[in-house]
Amino acid sequence: MREIASSELFMLALTLVFYIIAVRIQHATRMRLFNPILLGIVAMIAFLKLTGISYETYMTGGRYVDFWLKPAVVALGVPLYRQLSAIRKQLLPLLLSELAGCVAGLISVVLIARGLGATQEVVLSLAPKAVTAPIALEISEAIGGIPSLTTAVVVCTGIFGGMAGFRILDMTHVHSPIAEGLSMGTAAHAVGTAAAMERGDRYGAYSSLGLTLNGLLTAMFAPAILSLLGYVV
Amino acid sequence: MRLLIQIAVLLAFLWAGELVVWLTGVPVPSSIIGMLLLAASLRAGLVKLRHIETVADFMTHNIALFFIPAGVGLMNTLGIIADQWLPITGAVAGSTVVIIAVTGWVHKLTRRAVSNHNHPAHKPLTDKKG
């Protein structure tokens, strides 16, 4: 029984089944706390802990899904292309606000984490926390963080930003679909974009632009900013 | 056949991204470079949407699935999270507030400056409706 329940085929199938169930639960409840990533990961870990199967054994099947992570990031080039003409019209304000948000985010996350006593590997894992998980994972790996910890904090960031984002924008008196959408995507990636989408398509379109641009800018600037703040990456 | 071609195109762009990283040693993920090369090639007309669209939309709509295996690796870092919960939650919440406030404000200010510069008579920030 043990062999058949930990085979690579079973691990692969279970990953797909948990993901499908998680998506269904979110569609049914419409609660951002029931994020498919969060639910899928929690269900899988619970199963593995209960059955005593190690992560290494899980990955004999999980690696078939993991392989497609990089091609999926490449595929984001298609929505990016579709938004190019909107981006070109507004290039300067979009780039300046993205750049400011990206740099302020990187500096604040490092300073707060360090101030509260985080170890170096935790600081490096937290650095790309605002960007969409596939990109954050790649950055975390490149700068010497713990990729699985990065995935966890990325999901938590998305849920927090998605729930609190519009309240923060109200308090700072920012009221335009472009600025609000952009901020949601920049700070809280796909989960923030889902929240923005509920307010309207324009909010959603600029939010997905924000998540794409911040992913790119963070990938480009994280190593330099971390070295300025005294980390060897 | 159409889907196979699209998958091959997607993998070719990832490989091109890896080639750029291998040749230049830039510290940017190969997948990000592949994404930029894909957007640029679509823009330049080297690749048409019909060569990539179906597979790309399928993958981006289900992108959550692809990072479940990496996230399950969390089971090996539960100890770190228990030890460092305060800096982790503090930095996540604090920095998210900073990003939202800074991005929103800078956009508001630069947009006003740019539209005043281009059209002095045009009233800025009139796009209240979504």
Side-chain angles (χ1 to χ4, degrees):
Chain A
M1 185 59 206
R2 185 66 192 283
E3 291 72 37
I4 200 85
S6 62
S7 70
E8 58 176 19
L9 175 63
F10 190 68
M11 293 293 106
L12 173 60
L14 209 57
T15 306
L16 295 175
V17 167
F18 281 151
Y19 172 71
I20 294 163
I21 294 173
V23 170
R24 289 273 163 86
I25 289 177
Q26 192 181 36
H27 280 202
T29 61
R30 301 201 163 276
M31 279 177 69
R32 270 189 287 286
L33 189 63
F34 293 139
N35 177 284
I37 309 153
L38 185 67
L39 280 185
I41 291 170
V42 167
M44 202 68 231
I45 290 180
F47 175 83
L48 295 175
K49 288 278 179 195
L50 285 174
T51 52
I53 297 170
S54 72
Y55 179 60
E56 289 64 33
T57 305
Y58 164 70
M59 279 307 273
T60 59
R63 69 197 160 110
Y64 296 110
V65 175
D66 194 54
F67 172 81
W68 292 98
L69 186 60
K70 286 179 181 205
V73 175
V74 175
L76 287 170
V78 171
L80 182 65
Y81 161 73
R82 291 194 186 117
Q83 290 164 11
L84 275 182
S85 56
I87 299 171
R88 277 156 59 99
K89 272 186 228 154
Q90 291 249 2
L91 201 58
L92 194 62
L94 287 175
L95 280 184
L96 285 175
S97 47
E98 274 300 313
L99 196 60
C102 169
V103 172
L106 280 167
I107 293 173
S108 63
V109 75
V110 169
L111 293 185
I112 294 171
R114 191 156 65 184
L116 293 173
T119 60
Q120 168 159 342
E121 60 181 359
V122 170
V123 172
L124 295 175
S125 310
L126 281 164
K129 66 123 186 56
V131 307
T132 191
I135 298 178
L137 265 181
E138 300 259 325
I139 297 172
S140 179
E141 215 165 323
I143 63 179
I146 308 163
S148 58
L149 180 59
T150 299
T151 309
V153 296
V154 163
V155 173
C156 297
T157 301
I159 293 166
F160 176 78
M163 293 194 297
F166 281 110
R167 234 162 284 165
I168 299 164
L169 287 162
D170 272 346
M171 290 190 314
T172 50
H173 302 288
V174 171
H175 301 286
S176 95
I178 298 177
E180 289 184 78
L182 199 68
S183 303
M184 292 297 282
T186 305
H189 54 90
V191 188
T193 303
M197 213 57 113
E198 286 169 19
R199 292 222 166 178
D201 283 358
R202 261 186 97 196
Y203 288 91
Y206 281 96
S207 186
S208 55
L209 176 62
L211 89 86
T212 307
L213 284 177
N214 197 29
L216 290 175
L217 291 175
T218 304
M220 286 192 281
F221 290 111
I225 288 174
L226 286 164
S227 349
L228 280 177
L229 293 170
Y231 293 91
V232 183
V233 294
Chain B
M1 198 59 184
R2 197 171 55 92
L3 289 178
L4 280 178
I5 292 170
Q6 295 199 2
I7 292 169
V9 169
L10 190 66
L11 293 177
F13 275 97
L14 177 57
W15 186 81
E18 288 184 354
L19 184 67
V20 170
V21 170
W22 184 74
L23 287 174
T24 63
V26 285
V28 177
S30 57
S31 53
I32 307 268
I33 295 174
M35 171 177 103
L36 290 176
L37 289 174
L38 174 58
S41 303
L42 284 165
R43 175 84 196 159
L46 296 171
V47 174
K48 304 286 180 212
L49 271 178
R50 66 187 150 84
H51 296 141
I52 189 87
E53 203 167 28
T54 315
V55 164
D57 284 342
F58 166 75
M59 298 200 78
T60 51
H61 291 157
N62 289 290
I63 200 158
L65 168 69
F66 302 113
F67 46 81
I68 288 179
V72 174
L74 180 64
M75 66 190 279
N76 290 342
T77 57
L78 289 176
I80 299 177
I81 296 179
D83 285 347
Q84 301 251 308
W85 66 271
L86 179 66
I88 291 173
T89 52
V92 163
S95 170
T96 301
V97 173
V98 168
I99 297 174
I100 291 179
V102 168
T103 310
W105 262 93
V106 173
H107 187 269
K108 190 174 172 177
L109 297 177
T110 51
R111 179 119 188 284
R112 190 176 293 165
V114 168
S115 58
N116 281 349
H117 182 257
N118 289 344
H119 319 278
H122 185 256
K123 203 170 149 231
L125 296 178
T126 49
D127 53 343
K128 271 294 274 188
K129 273 202 219 145

